[in-house]
Amino acid sequence: MSDSTTDVPAHVDETPLPLDTTSAITTTTTATSASRQKSLHIAPMLHVSTTEFRNFLRILTKQAVLWNEMVVDETICFNPEQRDHHLGMTSREAPVVCQIGGIDTKYTAAATRIILNDYSEYSEINLNMDCPSSRVSGRKFGAILMKDVDTAVEILRTMQQEISSTINTKIQVSVKCRVGIDELDSMEFMVELITKLSQVTSRFYLHARKCLLEGLSPKENRLVPPLNYPRVYELCRRFPQCEFYINGGIPGLQACKELLYGVPPSDNNNNNQHQVPCSICNVPNGSCTAPPNQVPPNLMGCMLGRAAMDHPAQFWDVDRYLYGCPSNPCPNRRQLLESYCQYLERVYPRRCCDDDDRVTMRIPSPPNLVHHSPWCPHYKENSKCHGNNSNKSSNKSKTKTTTIKISSCVMDRCFKPVYGVFFGIPGSRTFRRAIDVNSRDQKRRNCGPAFLLRKAMQVMPSELLDQPFCDTEELGDSIPVHVSPPAPCSC
C-alpha cells in the first residue's frame, strides 16, 4: 500500500504524456507491480456474479480472478441469516474479490471485520465507487462517492485498519470507480481523486467511462458515455506507485491481451493522435478504445463483465491464451455443462422425493433432507443420463407433487450462467427455450436444477456438445462487441 501524501498540483496539464515515451515516469514503477503477473478479472454484476456463476466460470478457467456482486455493508451487518447467500464461497472459487458498498465508516468497518473473520477465503475487499444506480446514489454511496473523496478516504482507512488488526494480512483493500462523473470529467479531477485515495490504497479498477447520475439508467451508463482508454493509460503514468486495471467495453480475450501487452504502432493506432471524441477508432459515441503501443508497466489487468455473461464459452481459453498455461481445464460444452450439473446436485439437491415442507430458497439448502425413493417418475425419465438402470419405483414416488419446493429465485440463479453457452451457434435459442420451459414445469421443478439442465442438453446435437472449443486465435469476428451504441436522438 502506498503511503504517498503528495499534494495535488495547483494546475494539472490536460495534455497527456506521449504513450510511447521512455521518460522516467514510465520506469519508476514499484518492484511489486513489475514482478506480478497481469490478470483477467470478471467484473461484479448485480444478479449475475453469484456463487453459481463463479463456480460455472471456474470450470472454464482456474486462473481468472472472480468477483462477487456488490453487497451493501448494512446487509452484512444486520442480516446474518443472509450472509452465506451473499458472501458464501468455497476455496474452489478462489481467487475471488469481495466488493462492498457503503457510506458509514462504522458499518463498512464492521462489514470488513465480518468478511475477515467468517469469509476469509476472499483475497481482496473492494469499495464500490462505480455504481451509478439511483437506488445506490440516493443513499450516497457508489459512484457518488467520487464527489465526496474525503469520506471515501475515511471509509478505506477504517477498512484498512480492520485488516491491519487481524493476522490475515494478505487481504488488500481496493477501489473500483469511473474516470469521471457528471461535470467532473477531466484529468485534473481524476488526478486529485487518485492522489487522495492513494493515501490508503494503491489498487484501482477503472471503468473507462464517466457516469451521469441524472438522465441515464445503469444500463445506459454502461453504454452511452464514450469509452476513454487514453485517460486510463495517462493515470497509470501519472501514478507509477499504483496498480491499475482497465474495465469497460472489452469484447473478448484478444482485445484484453492487446490492452495488457500492447500492439505495434501503425498509422491507425498511433496513441499520440487518439482522444475523446475519437475519429480514428470509429466506434459509436466517440469512444476511444485503441490499445497502447507501449503498455504502462503498472497496468496490471483487464476486467470483463458482460462478455462473460453473454459468451462464456470464449473464457475456456483464458488459462492458455492469457496466462501461458500448457492447457485449459475444460475442452467442450458437454464437459462444461455436466460438471456444472454435478455442482448443482451438491448445492441444490432434488426435492421430488422427500416429505419435507421446507422450501429451497437460497444457499444453503435446507439441511438433513431425507429422500424416501431414489427417484420420482419424472426423475426416472432421465435415468439413463444419471446411470440409474433399475425399473423399481415405490408407491410414494408415484405420488403427484403439488408443492413447489425449489424457488424461482434459485432456478434463475442456476440457469443464468448457461444461457450464453451456445452463443453464435445455430440452436442456441432452442437450448435457452428448453431451459425456460423446463424451469416452469411445476411437475418437474422439484427434480432440481441439475435434472432440468440435463433435460435441456438433450435437445442439442451430441456432435455440438462434444465439439472442441475454438482457440481464441480462431474466433475472429464472432465475439460480441460491448461498446457504446449510437447516442439516442434528442429531436
Side-chain angles (χ1 to χ4, degrees):
M1 183 183 72
S2 168
D3 295 322
S4 171
T5 56
T6 305
D7 293 334
V8 181
H11 172 72
V12 179
D13 186 2
E14 291 288 342
T15 304
L17 293 169
L19 292 185
D20 59 352
T21 182
T22 56
S23 63
I25 195 168
T26 66
T27 59
T28 55
T29 309
T30 61
T32 300
S33 294
S35 61
R36 289 185 59 223
Q37 184 179 32
K38 300 197 176 196
S39 57
L40 171 71
H41 292 245
I42 307 300
M45 295 173 281
L46 187 63
H47 305 312
V48 175
S49 301
T50 60
T51 185
E52 294 87 353
F53 183 72
R54 296 195 300 269
N55 274 275
F56 174 76
L57 284 177
R58 195 52 84 205
I59 299 169
L60 290 166
T61 169
K62 305 301 181 185
Q63 302 296 327
V65 181
L66 309 180
W67 289 52
N68 72 329
E69 56 181 338
M70 182 192 73
V71 187
V72 179
D73 55 1
E74 293 180 13
T75 300
I76 298 173
C77 295
F78 299 115
N79 296 279
E81 72 284 353
Q82 295 185 20
R83 286 175 190 164
D84 285 348
H85 177 69
H86 292 295
L87 298 173
M89 64 165 288
T90 63
S91 57
R92 180 179 179 275
E93 299 173 45
V96 182
V97 176
C98 181
Q99 186 181 69
I100 65 173
I103 186 63
D104 191 314
T105 55
K106 177 174 61 177
Y107 297 140
T108 51
T112 301
R113 191 181 317 122
I114 291 169
I115 295 167
L116 291 171
N117 292 335
D118 300 337
Y119 303 95
S120 58
E121 297 90 352
Y122 286 104
S123 59
E124 185 175 325
I125 303 177
N126 179 269
L127 179 66
N128 186 315
M129 294 177 61
D130 171 50
C131 180
S133 164
S134 59
R135 293 178 59 186
V136 170
S137 60
R139 297 176 62 182
K140 303 302 181 185
F141 68 94
I144 201 170
L145 268 177
M146 293 179 67
K147 294 184 173 184
D148 189 6
V149 64
D150 292 335
T151 297
V153 168
E154 287 306 309
I155 291 172
L156 290 164
R157 181 171 286 117
T158 59
M159 293 169 63
Q160 187 63 57
Q161 288 171 349
E162 290 294 332
I163 291 175
S164 299
S165 65
T166 68
I167 59 174
N168 191 351
T169 56
K170 293 182 179 180
I171 291 183
Q172 292 186 307
V173 169
S174 61
V175 167
K176 187 173 188 293
C177 65
R178 298 277 181 141
V179 295
I181 179 171
D182 292 336
E183 75 284 357
L184 302 174
D185 184 23
S186 67
M187 180 60 69
E188 182 174 11
F189 167 73
M190 287 304 299
V191 167
E192 181 178 359
L193 179 79
I194 300 298
T195 298
K196 290 185 176 181
L197 293 176
S198 63
Q199 298 175 27
V200 285
T201 183
S202 60
R203 187 171 294 180
F204 297 90
Y205 300 86
L206 299 181
H207 188 153
R209 290 184 176 95
K210 77 170 186 177
C211 66
L212 297 173
L213 298 182
E214 300 289 341
L216 293 180
S217 67
K219 179 179 180 180
E220 291 169 332
N221 264 305
R222 292 195 306 269
L223 297 170
V224 175
L227 289 159
N228 194 340
Y229 288 6
R231 183 169 291 176
V232 176
Y233 309 150
E234 180 63 12
L235 287 169
C236 289
R237 300 188 185 283
R238 303 240 183 173
F239 294 91
Q241 78 277 16
C242 297
E243 295 179 358
F244 293 91
Y245 300 77
I246 188 169
N247 171 225
I250 305 172
L253 302 189
Q254 185 174 351
C256 179
K257 194 169 189 176
E258 290 176 350
L259 288 168
L260 292 180
Y261 298 101
V263 295
S266 69
D267 293 340
N268 292 326
N269 73 348
N270 187 335
N271 289 152
N272 295 331
Q273 300 173 8
H274 283 268
Q275 58 183 343
V276 176
C278 186
S279 59
I280 303 174
C281 287
N282 194 29
V283 291
N285 293 6
S287 292
C288 185
T289 59
N293 302 146
Q294 182 173 335
V295 182
N298 56 337
L299 181 60
M300 297 304 299
C302 284
M303 176 176 280
L304 286 73
R306 302 290 151 179
M309 183 179 71
D310 292 347
H311 188 9
Q314 66 174 309
F315 288 81
W316 89 283
D317 203 19
V318 166
D319 295 8
R320 178 196 70 89
Y321 185 72
L322 287 180
Y323 287 85
C325 297
S327 62
N328 293 304
C330 184
N332 56 52
R333 290 173 175 83
R334 186 187 297 279
Q335 182 170 318
L336 169 62
L337 293 173
E338 179 56 35
S339 298
Y340 186 55
C341 285
Q342 293 170 10
Y343 160 76
L344 293 178
E345 286 177 325
R346 294 191 301 270
V347 178
Y348 297 113
R350 60 191 180 91
R351 301 297 312 279
C352 54
C353 300
D354 66 64
D355 295 324
D356 199 311
D357 292 332
R358 293 174 295 175
V359 177
T360 300
M361 298 291 295
R362 59 172 66 94
I363 294 177
S365 297
N368 304 319
L369 294 173
V370 178
H371 294 96
H372 54 66
S373 173
W375 54 79
C376 73
H378 302 298
Y379 195 82
K380 188 180 177 183
E381 292 176 10
N382 224 26
S383 60
K384 184 177 181 180
C385 179
H386 286 74
N388 297 326
N389 298 316
S390 173
N391 293 320
K392 296 180 181 179
S393 177
S394 69
N395 292 331
K396 287 186 177 182
S397 67
K398 296 180 181 179
T399 303
K400 182 178 180 180
T401 301
T402 57
T403 303
I404 299 299
K405 297 182 182 179
I406 302 179
S407 71
S408 297
C409 177
V410 166
M411 291 296 174
D412 291 342
R413 286 170 61 102
C414 292
F415 294 138
K416 185 169 287 188
V418 304
Y419 279 123
V421 165
F422 296 93
F423 174 88
I425 297 176
S428 60
R429 290 186 179 181
T430 302
F431 177 71
R432 293 196 301 269
R433 189 181 304 114
I435 291 176
D436 288 337
V437 170
N438 290 335
S439 64
R440 289 181 173 85
D441 188 338
Q442 296 189 1
K443 294 181 180 180
R444 293 182 172 89
R445 167 81 72 83
N446 288 345
C447 293
F451 169 83
L452 299 178
L453 180 53
R454 287 193 175 102
K455 292 288 289 183
M457 289 171 62
Q458 293 174 5
V459 307
M460 303 304 291
S462 292
E463 57 270 20
L464 186 55
L465 288 166
D466 295 324
Q467 180 181 354
F469 287 124
C470 291
D471 289 345
T472 301
E473 295 89 345
E474 301 174 4
L475 284 175
D477 297 330
S478 65
I479 303 174
V481 178
H482 297 267
V483 295
S484 308
C489 180
S490 58
C491 61

